[in-house]
Structures are given as structure tokens and as C-alpha cells.
Amino acid sequence: MIENQDKIALPVGVTLDRFIKRNEDAFPFATGELSQLLRDVALAAKIVNREVNRAGLAGVTGLFGAENGHGESQQKLDVIAHIRFLRALRNGGEAAAVVSEEEDEVLVTGNEGAKYVVAIDPLDGSSNIDVNVSIGTIFSIYRRISPIGTPPAMEDFLQGGNRQVAAGYVLYGTSTMLVYTTGRGVYGFTYDASLGEFFLSHKQITTPGTGSIYSCNEGNLNDFPDTVRSYVEACRSRRYSARYIGSLVGDFHRNLLKGGIYLYPPTARAPNGKLRLLYECYPLAFLVEQAGGMATDGTMRIMDLPIRLLHQRAPLYIGSREMVLEVSPALSDAEHSGGPMLQKAELPVSTAIS
Ligand code: P6P
């Protein structure tokens, strides 16, 4: 038996595929569809990672020359990422339909026998592409409520944050990471392009109960509600660090690991907030709660917010629990007065990978 094998040949670690398989084996009823769906997301992430990393060379930076359904100019890479994820989800066979920030309507994949639907922001923060700042993909997975074998329905996407069975993001940064949860903790995987694999690098991510980083666009300070403006001024008086890169996934990920709060309040330009409930707020709220943090719209848990429109916007305060509570006085009263806690709606007993 060769001695000291690990010293001679350092183990490469647990790949995403092996991690998913181990989780699937842990649940007798898992039948593999969600596992495959997560693999399809990871495949698209690898392809988008390649496109993002060579954007400057491949002439895919800059504007696409069209607008999405919300009148927002599309960057070329927004459209490329949208196409890549849609193709991976369609060809993977496990998603019956997709809602994307880049298309107004529900996109039916033709996989009517599939159990799941996916809501996605294919490339968030894309205005940063041309200046080489981190950008990200955010995704959210639901078990469909329309009968399997029939065409998917809008209602499959309007179940509310507590009905998510999985959620995650891809961060295309100094390294590319995929971070996700299926309701049993938050796990981070770092991409090794030389091997074409995501490797487990962050087990059971938990976010600090408080922090000294606040992330918001202080250019809108005069538009913020009084409670939020007072909170930002308190952060300044406490000499907290202002960190805001204009890329939600990048700001969220840093605050998740170090502790902090990200705030996107209502503003004059965005009276209901700028961020989308279905494919930005809900998935990040699921993740942050699984990591011990909190996400509100200032009055209630993001996960409890009812959704009526696919591209509905919501204010978002997300990160370390104590910081979010401080900027959500209605909740902090309930929290500290012993009053009726906001019912943490039962998360679906996620059969995790199924
Ligand atoms: P503003 C990017 O467009 C985004 O959706 C988030 O990634 C980012 O945090 C926010 O909007 C930036 O918005 O209004 O501060 O430029």
C-alpha cells in the first residue's frame, strides 16, 4: 500500500455531480429529476462562464440593440445567457417551462412530462460586463402545480417564495461559483475550468448575525423612505463600510460570507423597488434564510410576499438578520415584543434532490 497518498496526489475534492448524487441517495423518494435539473443549470453556467470570460475578445460586449419587455436595453451577453440557459433547460428535459427576465411571457419548453419549472435572471448586473465587474445568474425552481403531462401554466410560477424547492446563483467573478440550496443548507461550488467541473468549496454556508457592510445606491438617498434614510445615516455614523458594485449577486455573495445588508428601497424611478420578486428576491431570500439571515420588503418576509405578476417588483432588504430587522421596524417589533411572529410558512418538505 503506497504511504501518504494524499500528500503525493492531493484529492481534487467533491464535484457538484457527486455531491448531487450523494444527496439524491440520501432521499429514498428522490427520482433524479431535480438532480438532473441542477446539472442542466450547471452546464449552462459553464457555457455562460466561457462567454463572459472571453466577451472582450469575442465582440459580445455592448448593447444588443433591443429592449426586453420592460423597456430595459439588453446587453449582447444578456441575450446570449438567456439563450444558453433556455437551451440547456429545454434540452435537459426536466423543466416544463421557464420565466426569464429577458422575455415577457412564460416560455414553454415542450417537456410536458417534466415535474419542474424554472424562473431565472440569466445575467444580472450586465451593465458591468464592459467594465469587467462581477455579474451573476439567479435561478429559482418550483414543482409545477399544473398536471404533469399537460401544458404548464402561469400559476406554476405564482406559488410564492415558500414553495420554491431549490434556488441559487452563479457568480462570474474572480472565480466562478455556483451557490444553491434545496432547503437543507447552502452549499458553494467553485469552478475549475481546467477540469470543467464545479468543486465543493463552501460547505453549509452560514451568514454572520450582524455586520458592518451596507450596500445601496446612496445616489437615491433622498428618495428613500424615512426609516431607510435614517438607517443609512446610522450606518455612516457607526463608520460602517459602504460597498455597492451595482451587481446584486456580487454584493449579496460578499455580504453572505462577511455579514452585511443589501438595500434596494422604493425610489422615484422605481416606486415598488427595482428588483424582481420571482427571479431575484425570492431565490436570494430562500438562500439567505437557509444561511441564517433574513430578507424583507421592510414590512414582511420576502418569502411571504404574495406574487400576482411574473415580473412584479419589490423593495429588498437582505443579509444579516440583526441588520435587516433594524431596517424592518414592523418585524423587529414582532420579533422583540413576543408578539405573533410572522408565520414562517412551512417550506415544502423538499425531497431535496428528486
Ligand atoms: P442601480 C443590476 O441592474 C441590478 O438589477 C442589480 O444587480 C444591482 O444591485 C442594481 O440593479 C443596481 O441598480 O439603480 O443602483 O443602478
Side-chain angles (χ1 to χ4, degrees):
M1 169 78 163
I2 297 171
E3 298 293 324
N4 301 321
Q5 293 189 22
D6 284 3
K7 286 196 176 63
I8 298 165
L10 197 64
V12 291
V14 179
T15 65
L16 174 65
D17 274 10
R18 191 177 300 163
F19 181 84
I20 290 174
K21 184 79 181 80
R22 280 182 188 164
N23 270 273
E24 182 182 312
D25 294 347
F27 299 96
F29 305 109
T31 50
E33 289 98 334
L34 185 57
S35 305
Q36 186 50 50
L37 188 47
L38 288 168
R39 288 189 194 96
D40 295 336
V41 170
L43 171 61
K46 293 176 186 176
I47 298 168
V48 171
N49 177 64
R50 183 190 63 186
E51 313 268 13
V52 165
N53 286 345
R54 66 179 192 176
L57 302 173
V60 291
T61 55
L63 290 174
F64 175 59
E67 292 180 343
N68 61 20
H70 330 295
E72 296 159 342
S73 299
Q74 290 174 307
Q75 303 279 335
K76 287 175 192 161
L77 272 173
D78 280 326
V79 177
I80 290 171
H82 167 76
I83 293 167
R84 293 295 186 191
F85 275 96
L86 191 59
R87 201 175 284 164
L89 292 169
R90 178 186 295 124
N91 298 340
E94 303 303 347
V98 176
V99 164
S100 164
E101 181 174 58
E102 302 309 324
E103 293 262 16
D104 234 9
E105 305 304 324
V106 172
L107 303 167
V108 176
T109 61
N111 305 320
E112 291 193 356
K115 266 185 187 173
Y116 298 101
V117 295
V118 180
I120 190 163
D121 183 355
L123 205 58
D124 179 77
S126 51
S127 58
N128 283 314
I129 293 169
D130 297 3
V131 293
N132 215 5
V133 170
S134 301
I135 50 184
T137 296
I138 310 170
F139 64 90
S140 172
I141 301 174
Y142 294 84
R143 193 173 286 106
R144 59 187 291 195
I145 51 178
S146 53
I148 290 175
T150 67
M154 172 97 69
E155 290 63 39
D156 292 325
F157 292 92
L158 302 180
Q159 301 180 55
N162 292 307
R163 300 301 300 162
Q164 296 174 94
V165 293
Y169 58 85
V170 184
L171 177 58
Y172 310 98
T174 42
S175 64
T176 291
M177 279 193 72
L178 187 151
V179 178
Y180 82 92
T181 184
T182 58
R184 283 177 168 70
V186 179
Y187 293 86
F189 299 80
T190 298
Y191 187 53
D192 180 337
S194 67
L195 295 175
E197 290 283 4
F198 281 101
F199 287 93
L200 182 63
S201 53
H202 296 68
K203 289 180 188 168
Q204 288 279 17
I205 296 175
T206 54
T207 194
T210 190
S212 57
I213 295 172
Y214 68 104
S215 308
C216 67
N217 184 342
E218 293 193 55
N220 298 324
L221 189 70
N222 295 337
D223 293 344
F224 289 175
D226 292 346
T227 49
V228 181
R229 198 167 50 248
S230 306
Y231 179 73
V232 170
E233 282 155 5
C235 290
R236 287 171 168 173
S237 65
R238 298 168 192 167
R239 300 294 185 279
Y240 284 3
S241 299
R243 294 285 184 273
Y244 188 72
I245 67 168
S247 191
L248 169 59
V249 174
D251 283 322
F252 176 83
H253 182 73
R254 178 201 54 244
N255 294 353
L256 183 74
L257 298 185
K258 293 190 165 191
I261 184 171
Y262 172 99
L263 310 102
Y264 208 104
T267 65
R269 272 196 296 263
N272 297 314
K274 176 181 182 182
L275 300 170
R276 312 294 182 162
L277 186 54
L278 180 62
Y279 41 77
E280 290 174 323
C281 302
Y282 278 159
L284 295 184
F286 189 9
L287 281 159
V288 83
E289 288 195 355
Q290 284 287 312
M294 192 170 207
T296 75
D297 70 343
T299 60
M300 65 191 301
R301 276 174 82 225
I302 289 288
M303 295 279 270
D304 291 335
L305 269 181
I307 184 167
R308 285 173 298 281
L309 299 169
L310 292 177
H311 302 282
Q312 185 173 322
R313 297 178 194 267
L316 178 65
Y317 309 110
I318 188 168
S320 295
R321 184 175 182 77
E322 286 176 32
M323 301 177 87
V324 174
L325 277 173
E326 191 174 347
V327 79
S328 313
L331 277 80
S332 46
D333 295 346
E335 177 93 354
H336 296 304
S337 68
M341 274 289 291
L342 280 164
Q343 288 312 310
K344 188 179 175 68
E346 276 311 301
L347 286 179
V349 179
S350 159
T351 49
I353 315 282
S354 68

